[in-house]
Amino acid sequence: MSAVTAVIRGLGGALPERVVSNHDLSTRMDTSDEWIRRRTGISERRHSNDTESTSVLATTAAKRALASAGVASAGLLIVATSTPDKICPATAPKVAANLGLYGIAAYDIAAVCSGFIYALATASWAISSGSVDSALVIGADTFTRLLNPRDRTTSVIFGDGAGAAYLSAGTSGEPGAVLASTLHSDGTAETLIQVPRSAGAFFEMQGKEVFTQAVSAMSDSVETVLARVGWTADEVDSLIAHQANLRILSTVASVTGIPGSKAEIHLDRVGNTSAASIPLAMTNAGTKGHRIPGDKVVLTAFGGGTTWGAIAMTWPSISVVDPH
Ligand code: COA
C-alpha cells in the first residue's frame, strides 16, 4: 500500500477593492513611482477598509478554493495570519463558521510572511498521518492597518489580501502532491520584523538586514527540499517565493541555480501581502495558465520570528477564479 500524501485540489484568492498606486503613495510621503519600481518591483497594492477584515478576506478566498476543488467542506481549517481580527480568540473558528463548517478543528498559525508555508506543511502532515482526510489552508493578512503612514520603507512594500488552498488525501504521483517540506525559526532575531508591545505601536522592519537574511534562509530551504525530492535546480518549472521584493526573488533564483525566468512574479500588482503572498501568487499562476499539471514547483518564504521554510510539490490539475 502506498503512503498517503496530501494533494492540493483547489486554490482561491481574495483582494480588497481599493487599489493604491505608487503615485498615490508619492502624494503622501517622500517617495516616487520610479524608486519603488526600481528598488522593489511593486507598482500597486490593495488596502483593506473597515469591512474587509482578515476573516472576511480569508472567508472569500476559502470559498473560492472550495469551489475550485468542487467540494463543500474540509476536516481541518488553518488560518495563517499575524493580523487576526482579534488578539483573542483565533480567526480560524470564525472563518470555519462563515463557511458553515461547525465542529471541525480550526486554529491560527502566526509565522508572519512564512505563515502559509508553515500552515501548508502542518496540514500536509495531518493528512499524511491519517488524522484528517482534508484541509483548508488559508493565508490572510491586513498589515496596512499597522503601518506608520509616515514610514516610506514599509508603506511602499505592504498590501492586504488572502489566498487559500484545499487539500485532501491522495498519492505522491498525483498532480498537486505535497512532496517535501522544511520549516525553521530563529527567535534571537525577533526584533528584525515586529510590532512592539505598546499602545499604538506600528509595524517595524530592519529592511536591509531582512533582505540579506531572507535571501540566505530561502535559498538554503529551497536546496533542502530539492535534495529531499531529488530534483536538480534546472528541473524546477516554477519558483513561487514570498513576494516581498523583486530583487530578493531574483537573488534567490540565482543563488539556488533556478533560472530567473522560472520565478513567479505577482508582487507588481499586490506588493507584500505577508501570509497571503504565496497562495495569491499560486492563484495568479493558475488563472494566467502559467503552469501545467505535474509541473515541479518549489514554494519558499521568510518572515518575522524569524521564520522560514520551503515546500516541493507538483502543480495541481485545477481551474481557478481571478481575484483581481
Ligand atoms: N522612496 C524613496 N527613497 C527611499 C525609500 C522610498 N520608499 N525608502 C528608502 N529610501 C531611501 C533611503 O532613505 C536611502 O537614502 P540615502 O541613501 O539617502 O540614505 C536609500 O533610499 C536607500 O535605502 P535602503 O534602506 O538602503 O533601501 P533598500 O534598497 O534596502 O530598499 C527596502 C529598502 C525596504 C525596499 C529593502 O530593504 C527590502 O525590500 N527589504 C526586505 C523587505 C522584506 O523582504 N520584508 C518582508 C520580509 S517578511
Side-chain angles (χ1 to χ4, degrees):
M1 203 179 79
S2 63
V4 174
T5 303
V7 175
I8 295 182
R9 304 190 192 274
L11 288 171
L15 290 167
E17 288 282 311
R18 186 166 160 232
V19 177
V20 177
S21 69
N22 292 345
H23 173 74
D24 294 334
L25 292 178
S26 72
T27 62
R28 284 183 240 155
M29 58 186 72
D30 184 15
T31 190
S32 66
D33 177 51
E34 190 279 325
W35 191 95
I36 302 170
R37 281 178 201 260
R38 183 168 47 83
R39 301 303 292 169
T40 71
I42 298 165
S43 301
E44 60 186 41
R45 72 287 294 142
R46 304 289 180 104
H47 281 195
S48 53
N49 63 28
D50 290 345
T51 64
E52 295 167 319
S53 65
T54 295
S55 68
V56 166
L57 295 170
T59 302
T60 305
K63 281 183 182 163
R64 290 177 176 163
L66 290 172
S68 157
V71 298
S73 67
L76 165 68
L77 186 149
I78 307 176
V79 177
T81 187
S82 300
T83 49
D85 285 12
K86 298 176 180 174
I87 290 174
C88 167
T91 303
K94 183 173 177 180
V95 174
N98 290 346
L99 298 168
L101 303 178
Y102 300 96
I104 67 163
Y107 56 89
D108 290 2
I109 285 183
V112 201
C113 298
S114 309
F116 185 78
I117 296 285
Y118 264 69
L120 184 57
T122 47
S124 88
W125 301 341
I127 289 172
S128 54
S129 73
S131 303
V132 293
D133 62 4
S134 62
L136 259 173
V137 177
I138 308 162
D141 267 314
T142 49
F143 263 106
T144 65
R145 295 153 196 251
L146 295 173
L147 301 180
N148 178 345
R150 282 184 292 277
D151 180 355
R152 62 183 183 173
T153 62
T154 52
S155 296
V156 300
I157 293 182
F158 283 89
D160 301 329
Y166 169 85
L167 303 94
S168 68
T171 60
S172 59
E174 286 184 76
V178 178
L179 299 173
S181 60
T182 185
L183 301 179
H184 305 274
S185 73
D186 175 8
T188 65
E190 66 157 357
T191 55
L192 283 188
I193 298 167
Q194 65 171 347
V195 181
R197 194 177 169 81
S198 59
F202 291 118
F203 176 88
E204 296 172 358
M205 177 180 73
Q206 295 174 36
K208 263 199 187 315
E209 187 55 28
V210 168
F211 193 108
T212 311
Q213 293 205 11
V215 167
S216 95
M218 288 199 279
S219 304
D220 287 352
S221 345
V222 166
E223 282 163 3
T224 301
V225 292
L226 287 183
R228 281 201 198 148
V229 291
W231 297 345
T232 63
D234 276 352
E235 281 180 290
V236 173
D237 296 301
S238 181
L239 173 68
I240 308 186
H242 172 52
Q243 308 277 307
N245 186 317
L246 189 56
R247 292 183 294 133
I248 295 180
L249 301 188
S250 22
T251 314
V252 170
S254 96
V255 170
T256 55
I258 296 172
S261 59
K262 303 285 176 72
E264 184 67 31
I265 311 295
H266 186 227
L267 53 74
D268 53 331
R269 298 186 69 192
V270 295
N272 175 355
T273 54
S274 190
S277 162
I278 288 177
L280 274 173
M282 292 170 78
T283 301
N284 188 57
T287 56
K288 297 286 188 304
H290 291 177
R291 304 269 56 87
I292 56 168
D295 270 0
K296 295 181 171 69
V297 177
V298 177
L299 316 177
T300 186
F302 176 86
T306 56
T307 53
W308 66 96
I311 285 178
M313 58 173 281
T314 52
W315 188 254
S317 181
I318 48 166
S319 67
V320 188
V321 172
D322 188 353
H324 285 281

